[in-house]
Amino acid sequence: MSAEASAGSHAAVSAQCVSPSTEDCSHRGLLGSKYVKLNVGGSLHYTTVQTLSKEESLLRSICNGETDATIDAEGWVVLDRCGRHFSIVLNFLRDGSVPLPDDHRELEDILKDAQYYRVQGLIQHCLSAMQKQKDILETVCRIPMITSAKEEQKMISTCRKPVVKLQNNRGNNKYSYTSNSDDNLLKNIELFDKLVLRFNGRVLFVKDVLGDEICCWSFYGEGRKIAEVCCTSIVYATEKKQTKVEFPEARIFEETLNILIYENSRISGGVHLLDSKGPSLGAGQSEEEGGTGGDHRVRRIHVRRHIMHDERGHGQQTVYKD
Protein backbone atom coordinates (compact mmCIF):
# COMPACT_ATOMS: atom_id res chain seq x y z
CA MET A 1 0.00 0.00 0.00
CA SER A 2 1.13 3.53 -0.64
CA ALA A 3 2.76 5.83 1.89
CA GLU A 4 -0.51 7.76 2.40
CA ALA A 5 -1.59 4.97 4.71
CA SER A 6 0.96 6.21 7.25
CA ALA A 7 -1.49 8.83 8.55
CA GLY A 8 -2.87 6.43 11.14
CA SER A 9 0.38 4.71 11.87
CA HIS A 10 0.36 5.23 15.65
CA ALA A 11 -3.08 3.67 15.99
CA ALA A 12 -2.25 0.81 13.59
CA VAL A 13 0.94 -0.33 15.31
CA SER A 14 0.03 -0.39 18.96
CA ALA A 15 3.29 -1.64 20.39
CA GLN A 16 5.59 0.78 18.60
CA CYS A 17 8.28 2.53 20.63
CA VAL A 18 8.12 6.27 21.02
CA SER A 19 11.82 6.56 20.42
CA PRO A 20 13.02 4.19 17.67
CA SER A 21 16.60 4.84 18.66
CA THR A 22 16.27 2.86 21.87
CA GLU A 23 17.61 -0.68 22.05
CA ASP A 24 14.20 -2.22 22.81
CA CYS A 25 12.51 -0.65 19.81
CA SER A 26 13.85 -3.02 17.15
CA HIS A 27 13.20 -6.07 19.34
CA ARG A 28 9.70 -5.25 20.65
CA GLY A 29 8.44 -3.09 17.79
CA LEU A 30 5.87 -5.60 16.39
CA LEU A 31 4.85 -7.44 19.57
CA GLY A 32 1.12 -7.01 20.08
CA SER A 33 0.67 -5.18 16.77
CA LYS A 34 -2.21 -5.89 14.40
CA TYR A 35 -1.09 -3.98 11.34
CA VAL A 36 2.40 -3.64 9.90
CA LYS A 37 3.90 -1.09 7.55
CA LEU A 38 6.80 -2.45 5.52
CA ASN A 39 9.42 -0.52 3.57
CA VAL A 40 11.16 -3.07 1.35
CA GLY A 41 13.91 -1.32 -0.56
CA GLY A 42 11.70 1.76 -1.03
CA SER A 43 8.57 -0.25 -1.95
CA LEU A 44 5.89 0.42 0.69
CA HIS A 45 3.42 -2.26 1.78
CA TYR A 46 0.67 -2.31 4.40
CA THR A 47 -0.46 -5.65 5.79
CA THR A 48 -1.30 -7.51 9.00
CA VAL A 49 0.76 -9.51 11.45
CA GLN A 50 -1.63 -12.39 10.84
CA THR A 51 -0.70 -12.46 7.14
CA LEU A 52 3.03 -12.31 7.82
CA SER A 53 2.71 -15.11 10.39
CA LYS A 54 0.88 -17.62 8.19
CA GLU A 55 4.04 -19.59 7.41
CA GLU A 56 7.19 -20.33 9.36
CA SER A 57 9.40 -17.72 7.75
CA LEU A 58 11.68 -14.76 8.34
CA LEU A 59 8.62 -12.48 8.34
CA ARG A 60 6.99 -14.44 11.15
CA SER A 61 10.19 -14.34 13.18
CA ILE A 62 10.23 -10.55 12.77
CA CYS A 63 6.62 -10.31 13.96
CA ASN A 64 7.14 -12.43 17.09
CA GLY A 65 10.39 -10.73 18.00
CA GLU A 66 12.75 -13.64 17.28
CA THR A 67 14.49 -11.53 14.63
CA ASP A 68 15.29 -7.87 15.21
CA ALA A 69 13.53 -5.43 12.90
CA THR A 70 14.64 -1.91 12.05
CA ILE A 71 11.81 0.60 12.41
CA ASP A 72 12.21 4.19 11.25
CA ALA A 73 10.82 7.32 12.89
CA GLU A 74 7.52 7.05 10.98
CA GLY A 75 6.89 3.48 12.05
CA TRP A 76 7.91 1.69 8.84
CA VAL A 77 9.63 -1.66 9.26
CA VAL A 78 12.65 -1.34 6.99
CA LEU A 79 13.84 -4.43 5.12
CA ASP A 80 17.08 -4.04 3.16
CA ARG A 81 15.90 -6.01 0.13
CA CYS A 82 14.70 -5.18 -3.38
CA GLY A 83 10.92 -4.78 -3.18
CA ARG A 84 10.15 -5.46 -6.83
CA HIS A 85 8.61 -8.88 -6.18
CA PHE A 86 7.64 -8.49 -2.52
CA SER A 87 3.96 -8.08 -3.41
CA ILE A 88 4.07 -11.62 -4.83
CA VAL A 89 5.41 -12.87 -1.50
CA LEU A 90 2.60 -11.08 0.35
CA ASN A 91 -0.10 -12.31 -2.01
CA PHE A 92 1.12 -15.87 -1.60
CA LEU A 93 0.91 -15.55 2.18
CA ARG A 94 -2.61 -14.10 1.85
CA ASP A 95 -4.05 -16.62 -0.62
CA GLY A 96 -1.79 -19.67 -0.48
CA SER A 97 -1.11 -19.42 -4.22
CA VAL A 98 -0.12 -16.77 -6.70
CA PRO A 99 0.27 -16.54 -10.51
CA LEU A 100 3.90 -16.54 -11.56
CA PRO A 101 5.44 -14.84 -14.62
CA ASP A 102 6.51 -16.86 -17.65
CA ASP A 103 9.85 -15.07 -17.89
CA HIS A 104 12.52 -17.41 -16.54
CA ARG A 105 14.74 -14.66 -15.12
CA GLU A 106 11.87 -13.08 -13.20
CA LEU A 107 10.92 -16.48 -11.89
CA GLU A 108 14.47 -16.94 -10.63
CA ASP A 109 14.32 -13.56 -8.87
CA ILE A 110 11.06 -14.51 -7.14
CA LEU A 111 12.62 -17.81 -6.07
CA LYS A 112 15.57 -15.94 -4.55
CA ASP A 113 13.17 -13.67 -2.62
CA ALA A 114 11.19 -16.68 -1.41
CA GLN A 115 14.41 -18.30 -0.23
CA TYR A 116 15.51 -15.09 1.50
CA TYR A 117 12.20 -14.77 3.38
CA ARG A 118 12.16 -18.57 3.92
CA VAL A 119 8.61 -18.97 2.60
CA GLN A 120 8.72 -22.70 1.85
CA GLY A 121 5.37 -22.83 0.06
CA LEU A 122 6.42 -20.16 -2.43
CA ILE A 123 9.78 -21.86 -2.90
CA GLN A 124 8.08 -25.09 -3.94
CA HIS A 125 5.65 -23.16 -6.12
CA CYS A 126 8.55 -21.52 -8.00
CA LEU A 127 10.47 -24.79 -8.36
CA SER A 128 7.40 -26.52 -9.80
CA ALA A 129 6.88 -23.68 -12.30
CA MET A 130 10.53 -23.81 -13.36
CA GLN A 131 10.39 -27.59 -13.84
CA LYS A 132 7.25 -27.19 -15.94
CA GLN A 133 9.03 -24.63 -18.12
CA LYS A 134 11.98 -27.00 -18.52
CA ASP A 135 9.69 -29.86 -19.57
CA ILE A 136 8.01 -27.64 -22.15
CA LEU A 137 11.34 -26.48 -23.58
CA GLU A 138 12.53 -30.07 -23.92
CA THR A 139 9.54 -30.91 -26.10
CA VAL A 140 10.17 -28.03 -28.49
CA CYS A 141 11.67 -29.08 -31.81
CA ARG A 142 14.68 -26.94 -32.67
CA ILE A 143 16.18 -27.28 -36.14
CA PRO A 144 19.68 -25.80 -36.61
CA MET A 145 20.34 -24.03 -39.90
CA ILE A 146 23.75 -24.58 -41.48
CA THR A 147 25.53 -21.32 -42.33
CA SER A 148 29.02 -22.59 -43.14
CA ALA A 149 30.92 -25.80 -43.83
CA LYS A 150 33.00 -25.31 -40.69
CA GLU A 151 29.89 -24.99 -38.56
CA GLU A 152 28.42 -28.12 -40.13
CA GLN A 153 31.56 -30.16 -39.50
CA LYS A 154 31.76 -29.07 -35.86
CA MET A 155 28.06 -29.71 -35.25
CA ILE A 156 28.15 -33.23 -36.68
CA SER A 157 31.47 -34.24 -35.09
CA THR A 158 30.43 -33.16 -31.58
CA CYS A 159 26.81 -34.35 -31.61
CA ARG A 160 26.13 -37.47 -29.55
CA LYS A 161 22.97 -38.22 -31.53
CA PRO A 162 22.61 -39.47 -35.11
CA VAL A 163 22.22 -36.60 -37.56
CA VAL A 164 19.91 -36.24 -40.54
CA LYS A 165 20.56 -33.29 -42.84
CA LEU A 166 18.30 -32.05 -45.60
CA GLN A 167 20.03 -29.86 -48.14
CA ASN A 168 17.53 -27.93 -50.22
CA ASN A 169 18.26 -24.94 -52.40
CA ARG A 170 15.70 -24.47 -55.13
CA GLY A 171 17.41 -21.33 -56.42
CA ASN A 172 20.63 -23.20 -57.20
CA ASN A 173 19.45 -24.32 -60.62
CA LYS A 174 20.29 -23.04 -64.09
CA TYR A 175 17.64 -25.12 -65.86
CA SER A 176 13.87 -25.20 -65.68
CA TYR A 177 12.14 -27.70 -63.42
CA THR A 178 9.92 -30.52 -64.61
CA SER A 179 6.19 -30.19 -64.03
CA ASN A 180 6.05 -32.08 -60.73
CA SER A 181 9.45 -31.09 -59.32
CA ASP A 182 8.14 -28.25 -57.17
CA ASP A 183 5.52 -30.53 -55.61
CA ASN A 184 8.14 -33.17 -54.88
CA LEU A 185 10.47 -30.61 -53.36
CA LEU A 186 7.70 -29.51 -50.99
CA LYS A 187 6.97 -33.15 -50.17
CA ASN A 188 10.60 -33.65 -49.17
CA ILE A 189 10.45 -30.63 -46.88
CA GLU A 190 7.15 -31.81 -45.36
CA LEU A 191 8.61 -35.25 -44.75
CA PHE A 192 11.57 -33.62 -43.02
CA ASP A 193 9.20 -31.79 -40.65
CA LYS A 194 7.28 -34.97 -39.92
CA LEU A 195 10.47 -36.87 -39.12
CA VAL A 196 11.59 -34.05 -36.81
CA LEU A 197 8.38 -34.38 -34.80
CA ARG A 198 8.50 -38.18 -34.75
CA PHE A 199 12.14 -38.61 -33.72
CA ASN A 200 12.57 -35.42 -31.66
CA GLY A 201 15.13 -35.98 -28.91
CA ARG A 202 16.60 -39.07 -30.57
CA VAL A 203 17.97 -37.65 -33.83
CA LEU A 204 19.41 -34.21 -34.59
CA PHE A 205 17.80 -32.82 -37.75
CA VAL A 206 19.54 -29.94 -39.53
CA LYS A 207 18.79 -27.93 -42.66
CA ASP A 208 21.26 -26.63 -45.20
CA VAL A 209 20.12 -24.03 -47.72
CA LEU A 210 23.59 -22.94 -48.81
CA GLY A 211 24.93 -26.08 -50.47
CA ASP A 212 25.20 -26.99 -54.15
CA GLU A 213 22.56 -29.71 -54.12
CA ILE A 214 18.95 -28.82 -54.80
CA CYS A 215 17.50 -31.64 -52.70
CA CYS A 216 19.70 -34.16 -50.93
CA TRP A 217 19.39 -36.14 -47.67
CA SER A 218 22.49 -37.05 -45.67
CA PHE A 219 22.61 -39.42 -42.69
CA TYR A 220 25.39 -39.32 -40.08
CA GLY A 221 26.37 -41.62 -37.23
CA GLU A 222 29.33 -41.35 -34.87
CA GLY A 223 30.33 -38.10 -36.55
CA ARG A 224 30.64 -39.46 -40.09
CA LYS A 225 28.36 -39.84 -43.09
CA ILE A 226 26.66 -43.21 -43.35
CA ALA A 227 24.26 -42.76 -46.25
CA GLU A 228 23.10 -40.18 -48.76
CA VAL A 229 19.91 -39.96 -50.82
CA CYS A 230 20.09 -37.54 -53.75
CA CYS A 231 16.66 -36.58 -55.06
CA THR A 232 17.63 -34.47 -58.08
CA SER A 233 18.83 -35.24 -61.58
CA ILE A 234 19.18 -33.59 -64.97
CA VAL A 235 16.77 -34.75 -67.66
CA TYR A 236 17.88 -34.64 -71.30
CA ALA A 237 14.71 -36.17 -72.75
CA THR A 238 13.38 -32.84 -74.04
CA GLU A 239 14.81 -30.16 -76.34
CA LYS A 240 16.32 -28.43 -73.33
CA LYS A 241 17.77 -29.71 -70.10
CA GLN A 242 15.46 -29.84 -67.11
CA THR A 243 15.97 -30.50 -63.42
CA LYS A 244 13.89 -33.27 -61.94
CA VAL A 245 13.18 -33.63 -58.22
CA GLU A 246 12.02 -37.00 -56.91
CA PHE A 247 10.34 -37.92 -53.63
CA PRO A 248 11.68 -41.32 -52.48
CA GLU A 249 9.67 -41.32 -49.25
CA ALA A 250 10.13 -45.00 -48.42
CA ARG A 251 13.91 -44.88 -48.91
CA ILE A 252 14.31 -41.73 -46.80
CA PHE A 253 12.24 -43.18 -43.99
CA GLU A 254 14.22 -46.42 -44.20
CA GLU A 255 17.57 -44.63 -43.92
CA THR A 256 16.25 -42.63 -40.95
CA LEU A 257 15.38 -45.87 -39.17
CA ASN A 258 18.78 -47.33 -40.07
CA ILE A 259 20.58 -44.35 -38.53
CA LEU A 260 18.95 -45.08 -35.16
CA ILE A 261 21.47 -47.88 -34.57
CA TYR A 262 23.95 -45.09 -33.76
CA GLU A 263 21.61 -43.51 -31.22
CA ASN A 264 23.63 -44.57 -28.15
CA SER A 265 26.86 -45.53 -29.88
CA ARG A 266 29.04 -42.73 -28.48
CA ILE A 267 27.91 -43.43 -24.94
CA SER A 268 28.10 -47.23 -24.94
CA GLY A 269 31.01 -47.62 -27.35
CA GLY A 270 28.90 -48.27 -30.41
CA VAL A 271 28.54 -51.12 -32.85
CA HIS A 272 30.15 -50.71 -36.24
CA LEU A 273 27.71 -51.92 -38.86
CA LEU A 274 29.12 -50.18 -41.89
CA ASP A 275 30.29 -53.36 -43.57
CA SER A 276 26.72 -54.54 -44.03
CA LYS A 277 25.11 -53.21 -47.15
CA GLY A 278 21.63 -51.73 -47.17
CA PRO A 279 18.56 -53.55 -48.50
CA SER A 280 18.03 -54.05 -52.20
CA LEU A 281 17.04 -51.01 -54.19
CA GLY A 282 13.74 -50.45 -55.89
CA ALA A 283 13.23 -49.89 -59.58
CA GLY A 284 14.97 -46.85 -60.95
CA GLN A 285 17.30 -46.53 -57.94
CA SER A 286 21.04 -47.01 -57.85
CA GLU A 287 23.63 -47.36 -55.11
CA GLU A 288 27.27 -46.38 -55.07
CA GLU A 289 29.84 -47.07 -52.39
CA GLY A 290 32.63 -44.59 -51.91
CA GLY A 291 35.48 -45.10 -49.48
CA THR A 292 35.86 -42.46 -46.82
CA GLY A 293 38.97 -43.87 -45.25
CA GLY A 294 39.66 -47.46 -44.13
CA ASP A 295 36.65 -49.75 -44.39
CA HIS A 296 34.15 -46.96 -43.80
CA ARG A 297 31.67 -46.70 -46.62
CA VAL A 298 28.89 -44.33 -47.53
CA ARG A 299 25.75 -45.56 -49.21
CA ARG A 300 25.00 -43.05 -51.96
CA ILE A 301 21.59 -43.55 -53.45
CA HIS A 302 20.60 -41.69 -56.61
CA VAL A 303 16.91 -42.00 -57.22
CA ARG A 304 17.34 -41.28 -60.91
CA ARG A 305 20.46 -41.11 -63.02
CA HIS A 306 20.87 -38.75 -65.93
CA ILE A 307 18.77 -39.54 -69.00
CA MET A 308 20.85 -39.09 -72.13
CA HIS A 309 18.51 -38.10 -74.95
CA ASP A 310 21.07 -38.42 -77.74
CA GLU A 311 22.10 -41.96 -76.69
CA ARG A 312 18.65 -43.37 -77.34
CA GLY A 313 18.21 -44.95 -80.74
CA HIS A 314 14.86 -45.18 -82.48
CA GLY A 315 12.65 -47.70 -80.72
CA GLN A 316 15.26 -48.31 -77.98
CA GLN A 317 14.68 -48.04 -74.27
CA THR A 318 15.94 -45.07 -72.29
CA VAL A 319 19.56 -45.38 -71.26
CA TYR A 320 20.43 -44.34 -67.69
CA LYS A 321 23.91 -43.03 -67.30
CA ASP A 322 25.91 -41.09 -64.71
Side-chain angles (χ1 to χ4, degrees):
M1 181 173 289
S2 62
E4 286 78 6
S6 63
S9 60
H10 295 289
V13 186
S14 59
Q16 248 175 237
C17 297
V18 176
S19 176
S21 62
T22 62
E23 184 177 353
D24 293 338
C25 180
S26 62
H27 183 69
R28 298 189 300 107
L30 300 180
L31 294 178
S33 302
K34 184 177 180 181
Y35 299 101
V36 183
K37 300 186 302 180
L38 299 168
N39 183 345
V40 187
S43 177
L44 306 181
H45 304 269
Y46 194 67
T47 186
T48 64
V49 172
Q50 182 182 4
T51 296
L52 298 180
S53 302
K54 281 188 175 181
E55 284 200 22
E56 185 68 37
S57 65
L58 174 64
L59 299 172
R60 176 191 279 185
S61 67
I62 291 176
C63 291
N64 60 28
E66 294 178 0
T67 300
D68 292 344
T70 302
I71 304 177
D72 64 12
E74 296 182 357
W76 292 91
V77 178
V78 180
L79 298 178
D80 187 16
R81 185 77 179 177
C82 178
R84 180 180 178 185
H85 300 296
F86 187 74
S87 59
I88 294 179
V89 178
L90 279 183
N91 287 334
F92 182 84
L93 292 174
R94 290 168 180 147
D95 304 327
S97 63
V98 67
L100 296 174
D102 294 330
D103 185 79
H104 187 72
R105 288 189 177 181
E106 287 204 19
L107 196 53
E108 286 182 337
D109 291 340
I110 295 172
L111 175 61
K112 291 178 181 178
D113 279 350
Q115 292 170 338
Y116 175 80
Y117 296 113
R118 303 198 296 271
V119 182
Q120 293 300 321
L122 184 56
I123 292 174
Q124 294 302 321
H125 191 36
C126 291
L127 291 176
S128 298
M130 294 173 74
Q131 182 61 44
K132 186 176 180 180
Q133 286 185 348
K134 182 179 179 182
D135 294 340
I136 293 175
L137 287 175
E138 287 179 351
T139 60
V140 174
C141 300
R142 301 181 180 275
I143 303 174
M145 188 73 71
I146 299 297
T147 58
S148 67
K150 185 177 181 181
E151 179 191 18
E152 176 185 356
Q153 182 180 6
K154 181 179 180 181
M155 183 183 301
I156 294 174
S157 62
T158 58
C159 183
R160 288 181 172 271
K161 304 175 185 177
V163 180
V164 175
K165 184 188 74 170
L166 173 61
Q167 188 177 54
N168 66 94
N169 187 357
R170 187 186 183 282
N172 186 29
N173 180 34
K174 57 184 178 180
Y175 310 118
S176 63
Y177 284 96
T178 58
S179 58
N180 60 346
S181 290
D182 282 335
D183 289 340
N184 286 337
L185 185 59
L186 289 176
K187 288 179 181 179
N188 278 280
I189 297 173
E190 289 174 356
L191 177 60
F192 180 85
D193 294 338
K194 291 177 181 178
L195 293 176
V196 169
L197 293 174
R198 180 162 186 171
F199 297 103
N200 180 43
R202 302 180 62 185
V203 177
L204 174 64
F205 290 86
V206 298
K207 277 188 177 181
D208 184 0
V209 296
L210 301 178
D212 296 331
E213 293 289 347
I214 296 172
C215 185
C216 183
W217 296 75
S218 300
F219 304 86
Y220 299 85
E222 296 182 344
R224 50 193 171 80
K225 184 182 288 188
I226 306 301
E228 180 183 274
V229 178
C230 183
C231 303
T232 56
S233 60
I234 303 299
V235 180
Y236 293 81
T238 59
E239 295 180 358
K240 59 181 180 179
K241 298 177 182 178
Q242 287 184 302
T243 299
K244 187 174 185 179
V245 180
E246 297 285 352
F247 178 53
E249 180 178 12
R251 189 63 197 235
I252 294 168
F253 189 77
E254 179 184 357
E255 291 297 342
T256 304
L257 293 178
N258 289 339
I259 208 70
L260 290 178
I261 64 176
Y262 300 94
E263 186 174 1
N264 300 313
S265 58
R266 291 197 174 186
I267 299 176
S268 59
V271 179
H272 297 280
L273 302 177
L274 294 179
D275 291 336
S276 60
K277 296 183 180 180
S280 59
L281 300 175
Q285 294 182 335
S286 65
E287 181 172 334
E288 300 175 359
E289 294 181 356
T292 58
D295 294 330
H296 296 168
R297 298 173 181 177
V298 179
R299 292 192 302 277
R300 292 190 173 91
I301 299 96
H302 295 268
V303 181
R304 287 287 180 185
R305 296 187 179 185
H306 295 178
I307 303 175
M308 304 299 293
H309 173 73
D310 50 1
E311 291 186 10
R312 292 185 300 163
H314 181 70
Q316 295 181 354
Q317 290 183 337
T318 301
V319 178
Y320 297 93
K321 185 176 180 181
D322 287 334

